[in-house]
């Protein structure tokens, strides 16, 4: 959530942020009104309580009609205090509810617009000319079947659409990717983490995933637990309700977890293969830093993502995501999109977001610097979302006979294997 003081001092900035997100600008005025009621009712309550306490000291000293009058007044004050307390609680609850609905403040450098209004910042690698090489590229599903690596038919039989099995070299390729990604993250100073896949509502709401993203979240109603769509959620909640020492920052974690997404808004999109699925594994980077260091940390996370994609020898571009395409918690987001030959376009493989103080305020995570205690910044960055990375590797490194060249960075994790060979023609 944002700082209420900032809202009071500069409401136009918050309105502009809401407008850029394509969200309800009127929410800002509703929140300002609720906050004013919260503060005024709080003052009213304090005044009545002070009057009640003062009156309480006079009653024992009074007698006769004076005491009767004071007791009558005390009864009325008690009712007024109770009413003021209820009004204060109601205003505070309304303020908190409205504050939870407000997205993070959009960074001023973020391009304004919708999904297609991103700005391309960099392009890396060379897109292969398959026509010049003399063959038509196969898509990842056909390659996966040739290699004995992907089985979506049995995935659908067992679990339904958008589920799959990784088999043979497909399973080995996932393990190689996860181990190589963890090796890079560990070398960069991240603490490896295996995180829970189920979290409490406070953890899910605290990271901002029960707002606009709620339709994609799986909820286990009988247990009131949520399946995570990313290990960002448990990693953000890891230090919930804690005060961290400033000299221990930055704290960097690399989490590996299964991820579950309903993909409720993607009906008919990417239905072939394993590009958009309900369950997948991912290695996620997560950082806790002082607020003033968040933009520099955001660039570091982006550099680690670029290092990873470059090591996989993939052509990709970096985009500055437009305002209306940001998640609720992100102030700014960079995506790295790999070229997918059979789609003829770049598709998102990794994403990194600067969430500034938004999540730490919701999760009550603070940093102590001397005598001062204040919220800190949290940032997240995908290192390896496994199925999409497999899609990009198979399609970009395929050869005419259906085999796939293994990028050098993965070979030590595949027993030195240089090529994935077809098992069926």
């Amino acid at each position: 959530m944002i700082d209420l003081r900032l809202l009071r001092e500069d409401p136009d900035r918050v309105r502009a942020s809401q407008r850029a997100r394509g969200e309800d600008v009127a929410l800002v005025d509703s929140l300002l009104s609720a906050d004013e009621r919260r503060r005024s009712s709080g003052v009213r309550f304090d005044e009545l309580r002070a009057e009640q306490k003062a009156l309480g000291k006079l009653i024992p000293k009074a007698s006769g009609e004076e005491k009767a009058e004071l007791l009558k007044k005390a009864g009325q004050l008690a009712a007024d205090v109770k009413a003021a307390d209820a009004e204060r609680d109601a205003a505070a609850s309304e303020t908190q509810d409205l504050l939870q609905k407000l997205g993070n403040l959009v960074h001023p450098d973020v391009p304004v617009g919708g999904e297609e209004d991103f700005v391309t910042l960099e392009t890396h690698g060379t897109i292969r000319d398959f026509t010049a090489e003399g063959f038509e590229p196969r898509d990842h599903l056909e390659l996966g079947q040739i290699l004995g690596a992907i089985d979506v038919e049995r995935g659908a039989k067992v679990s339904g659409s958008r589920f799959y099995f990784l088999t043979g070299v497909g399973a080995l390729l996932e393990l190689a990717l996860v181990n190589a990604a963890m090796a890079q993250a560990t070398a960069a100073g991240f603490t490896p983490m295996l995180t829970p896949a189920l979290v409490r509502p406070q953890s899910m709401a605290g990271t901002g995933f029960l707002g606009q993203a709620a339709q994609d979240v799986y909820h286990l109603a009988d247990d009131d637990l949520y399946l995570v769509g990313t290990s960002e959620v448990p990693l953000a909640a890891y230090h919930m309700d804690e005060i961290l020492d400033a000299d221990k920052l930055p704290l960097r974690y690399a989490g590996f977890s299964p991820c579950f997404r309903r993909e409720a808004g993607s009906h008919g999109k990417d239905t072939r293969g394993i590009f958009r699925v309900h369950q997948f594994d991912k290695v996620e980077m997560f950082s806790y830093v002082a607020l003033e260091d968040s933009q520099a940390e955001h660039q570091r996370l982006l550099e680690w993502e670029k290092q990873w994609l470059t090591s996989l020898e993939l052509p990709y571009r970096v985009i500055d995501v437009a305002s209306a395409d940001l998640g609720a918690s992100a102030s700014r987001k960079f995506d790295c999109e790999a070229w997918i030959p059979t789609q003829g376009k770049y598709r998102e493989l990794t994403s990194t977001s600067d969430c500034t103080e938004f999540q730490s305020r919701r999760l009550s995570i603070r940093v102590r610097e001397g005598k001062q205690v204040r919220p800190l910044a949290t940032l997240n960055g995908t290192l390896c979302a496994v199925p999409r990375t497999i899609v990009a590797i198979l399609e970009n490194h395929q050869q005419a006979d259906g085999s796939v060249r293994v990028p050098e960075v993965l070979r030590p994790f595949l027993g030195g294997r240089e090529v994935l060979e077809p098992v069926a023609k």
Side-chain angles (χ1 to χ4, degrees), residues 295-309:
Q295 292 185 50
E297 184 71 4
H298 199 195
Q299 290 295 328
R300 292 186 196 100
L301 289 170
L302 177 59
E303 288 302 317
W304 282 314
E305 291 181 346
K306 289 163 55 181
Q307 176 187 337
W308 171 245
L309 296 179

Side-chain angles (χ1 to χ4, degrees), residues 339-355:
W339 179 256
I340 307 299
T342 61
Q343 295 187 21
K345 58 184 175 181
Y346 290 98
R347 301 300 303 272
E348 177 194 338
L349 243 60
T350 73
S351 177
T352 177
S353 298
D354 181 359
C355 297

Side-chain angles (χ1 to χ4, degrees), residues 134-366:
F135 73 98
E136 186 74 19
R138 299 176 171 92
D139 75 4
H140 73 277
L141 183 56
E142 184 179 355
L143 289 164
Q145 291 167 340
I146 290 171
L147 297 170
I150 301 172
D151 191 335
V152 295
E153 291 182 358
R154 290 186 176 90
K157 177 180 71 173
V158 171
S159 301
S161 63
R162 298 189 191 274
F163 287 94
Y164 61 97
F165 285 87
L166 291 181
T167 58
V169 294
L172 295 177
L173 183 55
E174 157 147 354
L175 295 173
L177 283 165
V178 169
N179 280 295
M182 275 296 191
Q184 177 187 304
T186 303
F190 285 79
T191 299
M193 303 277 277
L194 298 179
T195 64
L198 289 166
V199 297
R200 293 175 171 174
Q202 183 182 1
S203 300
M204 189 65 81
T207 43
F209 284 96
L210 291 186
Q212 66 190 85
Q215 65 173 351
D216 282 329
V217 176
Y218 284 102
H219 182 225
L220 280 64
D222 289 347
D223 306 283
D224 199 17
L225 292 171
Y226 289 90
L227 283 164
V228 299
T230 166
S231 60
E232 172 192 343
V233 176
L235 290 174
Y238 186 63
H239 289 294
M240 181 169 54
D241 299 323
E242 294 181 23
I243 298 175
L244 308 175
D245 291 329
D247 58 6
K248 292 184 178 179
L249 299 181
L251 289 173
R252 298 188 179 111
Y253 301 112
F256 170 74
S257 76
C259 305
F260 303 88
R261 300 184 184 181
R262 295 182 65 214
E263 296 290 356
S266 62
H267 180 73
K269 297 179 182 176
D270 300 308
T271 55
R272 179 173 169 81
I274 62 171
F275 190 86
R276 191 183 299 274
V277 291
H278 290 310
Q279 177 184 341
F280 60 97
D281 295 326
K282 180 157 69 87
V283 176
E284 181 83 1
M285 301 178 289
F286 196 89
S287 299
Y288 294 85
V289 302
L291 179 62
E292 57 270 21
D293 296 330
S294 72
Q295 292 185 50
E297 184 71 4
H298 199 195
Q299 290 295 328
R300 292 186 196 100
L301 289 170
L302 177 59
E303 288 302 317
W304 282 314
E305 291 181 346
K306 289 163 55 181
Q307 176 187 337
W308 171 245
L309 296 179
T310 298
S311 74
L312 295 177
E313 304 167 44
L314 297 173
Y316 68 94
R317 70 181 180 185
V318 180
I319 67 169
D320 198 349
V321 176
S323 56
D325 201 28
L326 296 173
S329 61
S331 175
R332 192 175 193 182
K333 182 168 75 166
F334 301 124
D335 284 356
C336 292
E337 300 181 329
W339 179 256
I340 307 299
T342 61
Q343 295 187 21
K345 58 184 175 181
Y346 290 98
R347 301 300 303 272
E348 177 194 338
L349 243 60
T350 73
S351 177
T352 177
S353 298
D354 181 359
C355 297
T356 59
E357 298 175 327
F358 187 82
Q359 293 176 332
S360 69
R361 286 183 177 276
R362 295 163 75 101
L363 293 166
S364 189
I365 307 169
R366 294 170 291 168

Side-chain angles (χ1 to χ4, degrees), residues 125-126 128 130 133 135 137-138 140 143 147 173 177 308-315 338-342 349 389-411 418-421:
T126 302
R128 286 175 64 182
F130 286 95
E133 294 182 33
F135 73 98
R138 299 176 171 92
H140 73 277
L143 289 164
L147 297 170
L173 183 55
L177 283 165
W308 171 245
L309 296 179
T310 298
S311 74
L312 295 177
E313 304 167 44
L314 297 173
W339 179 256
I340 307 299
T342 61
L349 243 60
T389 307
I390 288 177
V391 169
I393 287 173
L394 295 185
E395 293 209 10
N396 281 284
H397 297 317
Q398 65 179 292
Q399 301 182 112
D401 63 354
S403 63
V404 174
R405 187 179 62 83
V406 176
E408 286 190 22
V409 71
L410 297 181
R411 293 175 187 176
E418 297 182 5
V419 176
L420 306 179
E421 299 284 358

